[in-house]
Amino acid sequence: MLFGIVYTLKGGSEADTKRSLQLFTSWEPTIEFKGHWALATGGGMAIAEAGSAEAMVEAIAPWGAFFDFRVEPAIEIESAVPILMKTNAWRDSIA
């Protein structure tokens, strides 16, 4: 299962930033990153594959003291379009 992840700094003190970088260099992720980017604001974004929601929680839990996370399941656009069209049709069918 693919997830889109966006995270932003909570407090962003210099000590917090140093500590999070120190921890990151020793971290062994429990999920597979397909791409992971740092943003100029100090946060970042990633696409990751996880076998379960529990694995995703385990992967982001160490970083909760430093970052706020937005994590959403992601699917290929070719799969999303028919699903979205079906939901539009359902809404249109309700008077």
Side-chain angles (χ1 to χ4, degrees):
M1 178 181 294
L2 287 178
F3 291 89
I5 306 165
V6 176
Y7 55 95
T8 55
L9 285 170
K10 277 190 176 180
S13 74
E14 187 174 347
D16 286 346
T17 300
K18 287 180 180 179
R19 180 65 174 148
S20 69
L21 291 171
Q22 178 188 31
L23 291 170
F24 185 79
T25 60
S26 298
W27 183 51
E28 295 184 20
T30 57
I31 57 177
E32 179 186 349
F33 284 95
K34 302 298 186 178
H36 192 178
W37 302 270
L39 302 176
T41 58
M45 57 188 266
I47 299 292
E49 187 165 352
S52 65
E54 292 84 357
M56 181 56 67
V57 169
E58 183 179 357
I60 65 172
W63 311 107
F66 307 103
F67 301 101
D68 288 318
F69 286 87
R70 180 174 165 198
V71 179
E72 297 188 35
I75 60 175
E76 299 285 339
I77 193 68
E78 295 84 4
S79 298
V81 168
I83 292 168
L84 297 172
M85 291 176 72
K86 181 180 174 182
T87 60
N88 286 340
W90 175 80
R91 281 195 303 261
D92 290 346
S93 73
I94 306 298

